[in-house]
Amino acid sequence: LYPGHFVDNVVAPIFEIVSKSMKSKADHPEKRNYDDFNEFFWSRNCLNYRYSSDMETLDGRSSPHSTTLLPITSGLIDSPKTFLEKRSWLR
């Protein structure tokens, strides 16, 4: 692994999905926001995905789950909207 590997392979792909959703012109009920992505990461469903394409175990061996689990970006793209902000005439 190289310096910046985690940023390039984990943080950047997640950021791209969140950023794209936040820039969406969709109305609030259809637009996923920070709270929706946060709910996904706190759900048990999040554990069904891998965070990097080259997962390794603590002793440096390749993880058996590296090819069987879908990438976390797939989970984020498919995750439903879970948070609905209540808006009033004041906002």
Side-chain angles (χ1 to χ4, degrees):
L1 301 178
Y2 60 90
H5 177 269
F6 185 79
V7 171
D8 290 345
N9 293 286
V10 179
V11 176
I14 291 172
F15 176 80
E16 288 175 22
I17 292 170
V18 173
S19 178
K20 184 177 178 181
S21 180
M22 299 302 285
K23 292 176 184 175
S24 169
K25 300 293 183 196
D27 196 21
H28 182 73
E30 292 83 35
K31 183 178 177 179
R32 291 182 298 158
N33 61 22
Y34 169 80
D35 294 307
D36 298 309
F37 293 111
N38 189 39
E39 286 289 327
F40 171 76
F41 282 110
W42 279 98
S43 72
R44 287 186 182 266
N45 188 33
C46 180
L47 300 175
N48 295 325
Y49 298 93
R50 61 182 160 81
Y51 287 85
S52 182
S53 58
D54 52 357
M55 291 172 39
E56 293 181 350
T57 59
L58 292 176
D59 60 2
R61 292 181 294 160
S62 183
S63 170
H65 301 293
S66 62
T67 57
T68 58
L69 298 176
L70 293 173
I72 193 69
T73 51
S74 296
L76 282 174
I77 291 170
D78 297 337
S79 66
K81 178 155 182 67
T82 56
F83 182 80
L84 183 58
E85 180 180 301
K86 304 223 186 308
R87 294 189 173 202
S88 72
W89 62 273
L90 294 172
R91 291 178 78 186

